[in-house]
């Protein structure tokens, strides 16, 4: 049993550490048109004064979007009540998602875009697009202008990211279900390893 405990500890220690806690920003709220998300998911409020769960995630120049009664804006979103989009008014404007505790290695989200976008998401080690660039990612066109097709995109990068620059995606890409989670392969390996050790321990006990 002591050998099992030592081996299990070694497996857990060998698994990569993940910055911050896993989160899912699903934008599931009734958004009036043009309301900025702001600090709704980081203990503050959206531009309409409402507050959500404190996930440590805040936004700059990102608005929530819900359909009107005619469902004019989008269809088939992963979570239908609310989605989001980055926006800019001037060439100097920037749109960011900031994660105070950082995201280690992997971020996923669903998107709908009638046009391909180069450099749609740029990943930085610091808040608000500061520090080191950890990666730059393109988005392929996947939808009509009805924003009726949503594709999951997974970004993988080296290091801990504190901001994601969506400026190039502004005014054209719909976003939903932004999530930071440990890579499934890591947990699968860990669980498989622990299962094998448990099997060996049981055989020894017999």
């Amino acid at each position: 049993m002591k050998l099992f405990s030592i081996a299990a500890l070694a497996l857990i220690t060998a698994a990569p550490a993940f910055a911050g806690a896993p989160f899912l920003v699903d934008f599931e709220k009734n958004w009036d048109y043009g309301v900025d998300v702001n600090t709704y998911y980081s203990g503050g409020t959206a531009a309409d004064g409402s507050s959500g769960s404190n996930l440590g995630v805040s936004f700059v120049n990102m608005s929530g979007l819900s359909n009107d009664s005619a469902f004019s804006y989008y269809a088939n979103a992963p979570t239908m009540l609310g989605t989001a989009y980055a926006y800019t008014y001037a060439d100097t404007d920037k749109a960011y998602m900031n994660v105070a505790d950082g995201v280690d290695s992997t971020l996923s989200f669903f998107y709908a875009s009638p046009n391909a976008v180069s450099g749609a998401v740029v990943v930085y080690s610091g808040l608000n697009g500061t520090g080191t660039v950890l990666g730059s990612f393109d988005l392929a066109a996947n939808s009509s202008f009805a924003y009726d097709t949503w594709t999951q995109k997974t970004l993988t990068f080296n290091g801990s990211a504190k901001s994601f620059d969506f400026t190039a995606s502004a005014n054209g890409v719909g976003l939903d279900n932004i999530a930071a989670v440990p890579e499934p392969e890591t947990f699968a390996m860990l669980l498989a390893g622990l299962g094998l050790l448990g099997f060996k321990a049981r055989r020894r006990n017999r």
Side-chain angles (χ1 to χ4, degrees):
M1 193 65 176
K2 184 177 179 183
L3 178 61
F4 172 75
S5 301
I6 293 170
L9 179 62
L11 267 176
I12 294 168
T13 305
F18 293 95
F23 63 79
L24 170 63
V25 176
D26 58 13
F27 303 106
E28 283 299 270
K29 160 181 155 51
N30 233 328
W31 299 95
D32 289 331
Y33 188 82
V35 171
D36 279 11
V37 181
N38 291 345
T39 56
Y40 181 84
Y41 291 104
S42 61
T45 60
D48 62 1
S50 60
S51 58
S53 302
N54 185 1
L55 305 178
V57 182
S58 62
F59 295 89
V60 177
N61 286 349
M62 188 88 76
S63 283
L65 181 66
S66 295
N67 269 316
D68 57 14
S69 59
F71 285 82
S72 304
Y73 303 129
Y74 58 86
N76 305 319
T79 46
M80 276 295 290
L81 180 61
T83 62
Y85 64 94
Y87 70 86
T88 56
Y89 294 126
D91 291 341
T92 54
D93 288 346
K94 298 289 185 182
Y96 297 114
M97 181 181 82
N98 289 310
V99 183
D101 291 335
V103 174
D104 196 0
S105 304
T106 307
L107 184 86
S108 74
F109 56 88
F110 285 81
Y111 80 96
S113 180
N115 299 304
V117 183
S118 296
V121 187
V122 183
V123 183
Y124 288 90
S125 62
L127 298 172
N128 293 314
T130 59
T132 304
V133 174
L134 302 180
S136 179
F137 302 89
D138 303 333
L139 294 179
N142 69 342
S143 185
S144 73
F145 280 95
Y147 291 88
D148 51 4
T149 301
W150 297 75
T151 302
Q152 187 173 27
K153 177 75 172 180
T154 300
L155 315 181
T156 56
F157 46 87
N158 293 321
S160 177
K162 290 197 170 184
S163 63
F164 299 83
D165 185 346
F166 285 93
T167 303
S169 301
N171 311 315
V173 176
L175 300 166
D176 202 6
N177 286 15
I178 303 176
V181 294
E183 295 178 49
E185 294 81 1
T186 300
F187 279 101
M189 267 181 11
L190 179 60
L191 291 173
L194 290 174
L196 179 61
L197 287 170
F199 174 72
K200 288 182 177 179
R202 287 193 297 273
R203 285 191 63 184
R204 278 196 303 274
N205 289 338
R206 289 197 191 102

